[in-house]
Amino acid sequence: MGKQPSNVPRESPLPRAFYLRPTVEVARGLLGKVLVHDAADGLAAGRIVEVEAYLGEQDPASHAYRGPRGRAEVMFRRGGIASVYFTYGMHFCMNVVCERAGAGGAVLLRAIEPLAGLDLMRRRRGREGLRDLGSGPGKLAQALAIARPENGLDLLGSRLRVLDGPPPAAIDVSERIGIKTATDWPLRFTERGSAFVSRRARGAGEA
DNA sequence: TGCCTGATTGCCT
DNA sequence: GGCAATCAGGCAA
């Protein structure tokens, strides 16, 4: 395990009950929280500034739409674990599984503000700029070394955890990015004014 | 079995 | 703004 940087609070992770709520509530609640991964090559952490909610079997944009099969199986487990999938042949993305077992709700982590382990993240990313470390779902997964082995990991564990943190002063709501169905569902949440979000809302909805 | 597309990123013009 | 990289899953044949 990596050494503990002094600026990561040694708090206990958010309780299970935080995740056993409606997915949209968990999504909004995750903004400002701190994701920590204590990996073999060191510890890194970032403050969550952008998320998207995916609503399970009734959401055509969700991998869970076709039921608990294949890569979506983990999304149907009890909330409070990570669901990691591989896409575009080269990127990993991380979901936070929500609600009770069988619900299939999940929150895609889309951007973090780097907090700890900055040099480690730079090495993993091959990029220097702070903004390039976590401003996108594939980027943050790479910066935090989240990949296949982390699929299904408990977020209340020692390797991977989510700590409390100051919520944003204001939250913007917009349409989800990179999908082709249910594109008008307002399920993307970003910290207003953050320089670390992946991109601006497409024209619409600063609400 | 084979083809196509994707909850993306980075490099190119 | 366009497009390639690269592979797992979905669906047609």
Side-chain angles (χ1 to χ4, degrees), chain A residues 140-163:
Chain A
L140 77 85
Q142 188 180 28
L144 295 180
I146 290 166
R148 279 204 181 80
E150 282 66 46
N151 189 30
L153 262 197
D154 196 350
L155 297 176
L156 282 69
S158 54
R159 291 241 332 263
L160 197 57
R161 51 195 187 273
V162 181
L163 309 180

Side-chain angles (χ1 to χ4, degrees), chain A residues 38-205:
Chain A
D38 201 352
D41 63 338
L43 182 148
R47 186 166 168 275
I48 299 168
V49 297
E50 174 180 351
V51 297
E52 286 177 357
Y54 286 85
L55 303 185
E57 284 182 288
Q58 70 239 315
D59 180 354
S62 174
H63 294 155
Y65 185 54
R66 291 173 186 81
R69 310 195 306 266
R71 63 181 170 183
E73 183 270 323
V74 172
M75 297 172 72
F76 286 85
R77 298 185 195 169
R78 183 179 61 158
I81 64 174
S83 153
V84 181
Y85 67 92
F86 184 62
T87 191
Y88 288 98
M90 52 173 62
H91 300 297
F92 290 96
C93 299
M94 174 179 161
N95 288 301
V96 171
V97 177
C98 303
E99 307 190 37
R100 70 187 193 288
V107 175
L108 172 68
L109 304 183
R110 285 198 56 93
I112 57 167
E113 173 183 343
L115 280 190
L118 303 186
D119 285 336
L120 183 58
M121 289 197 241
R122 287 189 175 102
R123 275 201 300 281
R124 288 166 174 167
R125 288 276 301 129
R127 290 283 180 290
E128 285 300 309
L130 268 193
R131 233 220 68 128
D132 289 328
L133 300 182
S135 58
K139 297 179 188 177
L140 77 85
Q142 188 180 28
L144 295 180
I146 290 166
R148 279 204 181 80
E150 282 66 46
N151 189 30
L153 262 197
D154 196 350
L155 297 176
L156 282 69
S158 54
R159 291 241 332 263
L160 197 57
R161 51 195 187 273
V162 181
L163 309 180
D164 202 2
I171 295 174
D172 289 324
V173 183
S174 58
E175 297 168 356
R176 293 177 291 183
I177 307 272
I179 57 172
K180 294 223 169 133
T181 56
T183 50
D184 56 342
W185 297 13
L187 294 178
R188 176 177 181 245
F189 306 98
T190 54
E191 175 176 47
R192 179 171 300 172
S194 171
F196 297 95
V197 300
S198 65
R199 54 167 119 162
R200 289 201 177 252
R202 249 191 2 269

